[in-house]
Amino acid sequence: MMKRIISCLLVCFLLLGLCPAALAAAGSPTATAAVTANAQGSATVVLTVKAGSGSSHGRVTATMPAGLTLASARSLLGSEGIADLSSTKTSLRFAWACYADLKKDTAALELKLTGKPGVYALQLSLPETKETVSVSVEIPGVFRDVSADDWFFNAVYDAYGRGLMVGESSDLFAPNDSMTRAMLITTLYRMSGSPAVTGENPYSDVPAGSYYEKAVIWAMQKGVANGMGGGKFEPDTRVTRQQAVTMLYRYAVKIAGIRTDERAELGRFTDSAKINAYAITAMRWAVGSGLMKGYPDNTLQPNGTLTRAEAATLLVWLAAKV
């Protein structure tokens, strides 16, 4: 009976916002926070309350630093008392009231965080004691062949986070591998929301059920990409830089409806004569809009193979405009 009365009183403290005054009088305990687990793209943080007078109740608030998402939060106090927890993807509010002071080093709160690879400074505030508990949260990378100092780091993880590109294996992105026609069309199909596709596949070299079948049919129907002649699409052929830019230009015009009137003169590039007639408008737009830049030797290399890292860069640029 006595426990029930105490429970009711504690609920009142939590719900009516009377905790601050009560906690200030009792003196909130010091807390610590530490990363207890790391996995690809995520980390787990546990807040621990040290034992002492006033540890029977406390309050914690936090705002996630940019780039870090609060995937879930849960109280670890169990039947020790009552917890009031509310959270969003970017913020947290947690208060607890227990029947007695907590045992030494009691785990009180577990946070599961996700984000792009990197190290984040997470600040957990204890309002009553005006303390701030800081914890360095490292989000491990998914791909072990993409390092933070690589020029394509942000683009790769942005493309991956948007669901446009995946790795060539569970932990390898293969940034320097060639992009194929099938790969590029599939990324544009995903960017468009992977819409339903009807109609027959017109190409003899696209086997039914392949990962790119729907994307190829969609691209043909929308005019984003054409076949290579002879009733073939050549899905496994390496896509050149001018082919890629042309597909992106057609996507921008026919699907995204974004501005494409930027034009640049290409004569300043020493290999501009190698640009095929079908790709000139697209290449002028790509250079004029900043989508594509020349190489240090003042070339565009229109017939050079597009790498997966370069593809990620182009796709992220275009996705930001859509």
Side-chain angles (χ1 to χ4, degrees):
M1 183 66 175
M2 182 59 68
K3 280 190 174 182
R4 183 176 298 176
I5 294 173
I6 294 175
S7 295
C8 292
L9 291 173
L10 293 176
V11 169
C12 290
F13 284 139
L14 290 170
L15 298 182
L16 296 179
L18 298 179
C19 282
L23 297 179
S28 294
T30 299
T32 59
V35 176
T36 60
N38 293 87
Q40 292 182 346
S42 66
T44 300
V45 173
V46 172
L47 179 78
T48 299
V49 178
K50 293 185 177 181
S53 176
S55 64
S56 59
H57 35 239
R59 193 160 63 102
V60 177
T61 61
T63 299
M64 299 301 110
L68 202 61
T69 298
L70 179 58
S72 66
R74 70 185 182 98
S75 170
L76 301 177
L77 294 176
S79 60
E80 292 290 330
I82 302 166
D84 180 25
L85 172 63
S86 64
S87 64
T88 67
K89 291 183 178 181
T90 59
S91 64
L92 165 78
R93 183 175 65 82
F94 176 64
W96 72 91
C98 299
Y99 305 120
D101 287 334
L102 301 178
K103 297 177 182 179
K104 182 180 179 181
D105 297 332
T106 299
L109 179 66
E110 178 187 80
L111 308 177
K112 290 193 179 294
L113 308 165
T114 60
K116 290 182 181 180
V119 178
Y120 301 85
L122 177 63
Q123 308 289 327
L124 302 173
S125 299
L126 282 70
E128 280 65 55
T129 58
K130 295 181 173 57
E131 294 177 274
T132 298
V133 178
S134 301
V135 57
S136 179
V137 180
E138 180 179 0
I139 301 293
V142 176
F143 305 115
R144 54 188 173 88
D145 57 353
V146 177
S147 302
D149 56 353
D150 289 327
W151 65 266
F152 47 78
F153 176 84
N154 288 330
V156 165
Y157 278 106
D158 198 335
Y160 175 75
R162 292 173 184 266
L164 301 178
M165 297 183 73
V166 296
E168 289 200 346
S169 68
S170 61
D171 62 349
L172 292 175
F173 186 80
N176 297 316
D177 280 6
S178 300
M179 196 75 171
T180 66
R181 285 169 53 80
M183 288 178 184
L184 186 58
I185 284 303
T186 300
T187 62
L188 294 176
Y189 177 63
R190 290 170 179 161
M191 192 183 296
S192 70
S194 301
V197 174
T198 58
E200 296 183 359
N201 164 33
Y203 303 111
S204 61
D205 59 349
V206 177
S210 62
Y211 78 87
Y212 51 79
E213 179 191 16
K214 291 182 179 179
V216 168
I217 297 173
W218 167 84
M220 181 272 295
Q221 292 176 344
K222 298 296 185 180
V224 175
N226 301 318
M228 298 295 284
K232 294 184 177 181
F233 186 79
E234 298 186 12
D236 297 323
T237 297
R238 297 175 180 180
V239 68
T240 66
R241 286 164 57 82
Q242 64 180 340
Q243 287 172 342
V245 164
T246 300
M247 292 180 192
L248 267 62
Y249 175 72
R250 291 172 179 168
Y251 181 92
V253 173
K254 298 175 181 292
I255 306 298
I258 63 175
R259 179 186 174 191
T260 57
D261 60 346
E262 305 97 331
R263 297 288 187 271
E265 293 300 324
L266 304 178
R268 69 178 185 272
F269 298 103
T270 59
D271 58 352
S272 60
K274 295 181 180 179
I275 302 173
N276 288 354
Y278 76 83
I280 290 178
T281 298
M283 289 293 281
R284 290 188 62 198
W285 164 73
V287 175
S289 64
L291 170 63
M292 182 170 282
K293 296 178 174 62
Y295 287 94
D297 61 356
N298 202 33
T299 62
L300 278 175
Q301 300 183 21
N303 294 311
T305 301
L306 189 75
T307 68
R308 286 172 53 80
E310 290 172 333
T313 303
L314 297 182
L315 290 165
V316 167
W317 184 95
L318 183 60
K321 301 289 184 179
V322 175

